[in-house]
């Protein structure tokens, strides 16, 4: 009787070990499958790449190295003889902005009266953005709304702001804010990092 019990116990232990190993193996397989599914979905391998879609249609930051590489390829393409290119890397230094600056000069100058003054100001403006041409296209599309925002900002500017360098820097910051606010309202994205005066006359 005791021999039968002794023989049955190792069989039960062996069965329990097999069941336990089977359960652990099943958990590992299920966990690995879920992990692989999450990775594939996040990387866009399955599910149509839902996370990447908005980026495909919105402005993208342009790293400076890409802009320099494109410029070097454009210049060095047709200079086979003694053009000074020959595959040399474009000059670069340390520091500076990480992203390239994309510039756009607005076509017409802006003329406005100054706030509580008999003087008026006439300025030419250019904008810069670290993003691709999407921001420039948005500026062109919304030219009338942007011109209105710039003129209203100029109309709120005092004489003191246009006769000092510090006042002009503050005006630049206000113009950036006005242009980006207009672009955000119209396109959902601003993207202008700075404005530059290409002409500045006070009369």
């Amino acid at each position: 009787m005791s021999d039968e019990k002794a023989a049955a116990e190792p069989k039960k232990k062996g069965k329990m070990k097999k069941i336990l190993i089977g359960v652990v193996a099943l958990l590992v397989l299920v966990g690995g499958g879920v992990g692989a599914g999450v990775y594939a979905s996040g990387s866009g391998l399955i599910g149509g790449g839902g996370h990447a879609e908005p980026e495909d249609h919105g402005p993208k930051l342009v790293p400076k190295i890409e802009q320099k590489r494109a410029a070097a390829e454009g210049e060095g393409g047709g200079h086979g003889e003694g053009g000074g290119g020959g595959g040399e890397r474009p000059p670069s230094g340390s520091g500076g902005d990480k992203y390239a600056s994309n510039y756009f000069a607005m076509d017409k100058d802006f003329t406005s009266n100054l706030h509580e003054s008999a003087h008026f100001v006439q300025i030419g403006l250019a904008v810069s953005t670290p993003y691709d041409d999407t921001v420039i296209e948005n500026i062109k599309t919304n030219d009338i709304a942007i011109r209105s925002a710039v003129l209203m900002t100029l109309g709120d500017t005092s004489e003191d702001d246009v006769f000092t360098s510090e006042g002009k820097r503050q005006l630049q910051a206000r113009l950036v804010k006005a242009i980006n606010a207009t672009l955000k309202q119209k396109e959902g994205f601003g993207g202008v990092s700075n404005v530059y005066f290409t002409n500045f006359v006070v009369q």
Side-chain angles (χ1 to χ4, degrees):
M1 189 89 155
S2 62
D3 288 339
E4 286 178 20
K5 279 186 180 178
E9 277 185 31
K11 286 182 182 177
K12 282 185 182 178
K13 285 183 183 177
K15 268 189 181 177
M16 289 301 278
K17 276 186 181 178
K18 286 180 183 177
I19 290 172
L20 187 59
I21 289 171
V23 168
V24 169
L26 183 64
L27 287 174
V28 167
L29 284 173
V30 169
V34 169
V38 169
Y39 172 78
S41 175
S43 65
L45 295 174
I46 60 172
H51 295 298
E53 196 170 311
E55 291 179 357
D56 290 342
H57 302 294
K60 294 178 183 63
L61 287 166
V62 180
K64 193 177 280 187
I65 189 70
E66 284 184 19
Q67 184 188 49
K68 288 182 179 180
R69 189 179 303 128
E73 287 170 3
E75 291 171 7
H79 300 297
E81 301 173 22
E88 293 177 15
R89 293 181 63 209
S92 63
S94 60
D97 292 333
K98 180 178 177 182
Y99 296 103
S101 291
N102 197 357
Y103 296 98
F104 174 70
M106 301 195 77
D107 289 335
K108 302 175 198 166
D109 285 355
F110 297 83
T111 304
S112 173
N113 293 327
L114 293 172
H115 183 66
E116 296 180 348
S117 170
H119 295 286
F120 68 89
V121 64
Q122 183 179 50
I123 64 168
L125 271 187
V127 300
S128 71
T129 176
Y131 293 92
D132 60 16
D133 287 339
T134 306
V135 173
I136 303 300
E137 292 304 318
N138 289 346
I139 290 170
K140 291 177 183 176
T141 302
N142 298 287
D143 180 67
I144 292 172
I146 289 171
R147 291 188 72 79
S148 177
V150 168
L151 289 171
M152 290 196 311
T153 303
L154 290 174
D156 288 338
T157 303
S158 68
E159 282 184 33
D160 295 338
D161 290 340
V162 297
F163 286 117
T164 65
S165 295
E166 182 56 33
K168 289 175 185 173
R169 277 191 284 274
Q170 290 174 4
L171 177 58
Q172 280 180 304
R174 289 175 36 233
L175 289 170
V176 168
K177 189 175 178 182
I179 293 170
N180 279 332
T182 302
L183 288 174
K184 282 177 188 170
Q185 179 189 5
K186 300 293 184 183
E187 302 290 341
F189 185 83
V192 172
S193 59
N194 206 349
V195 299
Y196 299 93
F197 299 122
T198 58
N199 181 31
F200 202 108
V201 177
V202 181
Q203 291 183 340

